[in-house]
């Protein structure tokens, strides 16, 4: 069944590429919202890229559902920009929490900091707090909009504007794929978009507080995530 889904979705991806050729990001978002009514969702972690997309959706009053994953271990600064975003754009943002029973079981069995002990443990925590809630949030939808950019990591260099995500069985749209960080920051500055205060303190990629640090000049963008690891620095939300 999954093979059939992939074949059908690949054809859909090709059709979307053809139909939106020459469209601006805003035109593409509007097209998707109309073409897949009530089945287009955008996941935000309130990072700079996500804030740009939120601004574009809100400015054009597009019927696209915005949701966020509250892992229970976010920075206060993330909650601050969440609040500012709600106040500025008056756009509802759905909040998805991990299953309480799963978190309780993890902490009872391994304690609150098991993710420091091994990559396996860290991925287990990411699965419970992020992947499982995301799976639930994406279910039944057709298009998943993300803030991924190609220059964020080597793993993301081969991403496409539209692509089929076999893991979640959904088509992803990555509107800022070719944007540079400088272009993202310029849009934020020019349009007075709320942004996480940690970005001014050397934090580029911001996730859970225990798993995120500021990076030094010249360091890879993803160096601040799970800095004690030498893995591919992904949590399982975005994979081929």
């Amino acid at each position: 069944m999954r093979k059939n889904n992939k074949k059908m979705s690949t054809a859909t991806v090709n059709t979307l590429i053809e139909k939106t050729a020459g469209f601006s990001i805003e035109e593409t978002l509007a097209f998707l919202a109309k073409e897949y009514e009530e089945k287009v969702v955008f996941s935000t972690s309130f990072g700079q890229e996500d804030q740009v997309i939120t601004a574009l959706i809100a400015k054009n009053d597009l019927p696209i559902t915005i949701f966020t994953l509250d892992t229970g271990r976010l920075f206060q600064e993330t909650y601050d920009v969440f609040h500012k975003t709600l106040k500025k754009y008056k756009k509802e943002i759905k909040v998805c929490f991990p299953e309480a029973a799963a978190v309780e079981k993890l902490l009872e069995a391994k304690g609150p900091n098991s993710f420091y002990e091994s990559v396996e443990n860290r991925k287990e925590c990411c699965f419970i707090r992020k992947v499982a809630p995301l799976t639930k949030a994406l279910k039944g939808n057709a298009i998943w909009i993300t803030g991924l950019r190609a220059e964020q990591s080597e793993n993301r260099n081969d991403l496409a504007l539209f692509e089929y995500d076999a893991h979640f069985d959904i088509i992803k749209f990555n509107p800022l794929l070719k944007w540079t960080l400088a272009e993202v920051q310029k849009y934020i500055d020019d349009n007075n978009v709320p942004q996480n205060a940690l970005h001014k303190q050397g934090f580029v990629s911001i996730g859970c507080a225990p798993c995120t640090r500021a990076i030094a000049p010249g360091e890879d963008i993803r160096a601040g995530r799970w800095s004690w690891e030498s893995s591919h620095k992904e949590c399982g939300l975005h994979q081929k």
Side-chain angles (χ1 to χ4, degrees):
M1 181 65 179
R2 184 57 62 91
K3 284 185 178 180
N4 289 336
N5 285 355
K6 184 175 182 179
K7 185 175 180 179
M8 292 172 60
S9 296
T10 298
T12 301
V13 165
N14 291 334
T15 299
L16 288 174
I17 292 172
E18 291 175 5
K19 287 187 175 182
T20 60
F23 281 15
S24 67
I25 292 176
E26 290 165 292
E27 289 170 336
T28 303
L29 289 171
F31 169 81
L32 293 173
K34 183 177 180 180
E35 190 80 358
Y36 298 94
E37 188 175 357
E38 298 185 357
K39 289 191 175 183
V40 181
V41 295
F42 166 52
S43 57
T44 178
S45 62
F46 303 102
Q48 289 163 302
E49 295 84 4
D50 292 342
Q51 288 298 92
V52 169
I53 297 172
T54 295
L56 292 172
I57 291 173
K59 183 173 70 172
N60 292 282
D61 194 25
L62 298 174
I64 292 173
T65 298
I66 302 176
F67 72 89
T68 190
L69 306 177
D70 188 338
T71 65
R73 305 204 69 162
L74 302 179
F75 287 95
Q76 179 57 44
E77 288 85 350
T78 301
Y79 291 114
D80 290 342
V81 74
F82 182 176
H83 189 73
K84 290 177 181 177
T85 302
L86 289 173
K87 291 292 185 181
K88 181 176 178 65
Y89 297 115
K90 305 296 190 293
K91 175 80 173 176
E92 179 181 293
I93 298 175
K94 295 179 62 177
V95 182
C96 303
F97 291 98
E99 291 291 335
V103 175
E104 290 169 0
K105 184 177 179 180
L106 174 64
L107 267 63
E108 288 169 0
K110 297 184 177 180
N113 294 324
S114 61
F115 46 84
Y116 288 127
E117 297 171 357
S118 68
V119 174
E120 181 182 24
N121 278 357
R122 194 269 294 168
K123 289 186 175 181
E124 178 184 26
C125 186
C126 285
F127 180 84
I128 291 171
R129 295 181 182 275
K130 299 170 76 172
V131 180
L134 177 65
T135 302
K136 185 176 180 180
L138 294 178
K139 188 176 181 180
N141 289 293
I143 304 290
W144 172 22
I145 301 166
T146 86
L148 296 178
R149 291 187 300 109
E151 71 169 15
Q152 287 172 328
S153 72
E154 290 184 7
N155 297 342
R156 299 177 180 180
N157 280 333
D158 62 346
L159 294 176
L161 194 62
F162 286 100
E163 59 184 355
Y164 173 61
D165 188 311
H167 183 74
F168 293 108
D169 191 23
I170 196 168
I171 293 172
K172 291 165 73 171
F173 174 46
N174 308 311
L176 304 186
L177 183 66
K178 300 301 182 182
W179 282 39
T180 64
L181 183 57
E183 288 174 319
V184 171
Q185 187 63 62
K186 185 178 187 304
Y187 184 92
I188 288 172
D189 294 340
D190 290 349
N191 295 275
N192 194 30
V193 177
Q195 69 173 321
N196 196 315
L198 292 174
H199 290 307
K200 298 295 186 181
Q201 301 174 35
F203 289 77
V204 181
S205 176
I206 302 173
C208 293
C211 301
T212 308
R213 68 164 174 81
I215 63 173
E219 273 195 296
D220 182 81
I221 290 175
R222 299 288 287 180
R225 302 296 292 276
W226 312 292
S227 57
W228 62 92
E229 290 183 9
S230 58
S231 68
H232 291 300
K233 302 298 182 76
E234 297 287 356
C235 60
L237 297 186
H238 302 287
Q239 52 187 302
K240 292 292 185 181

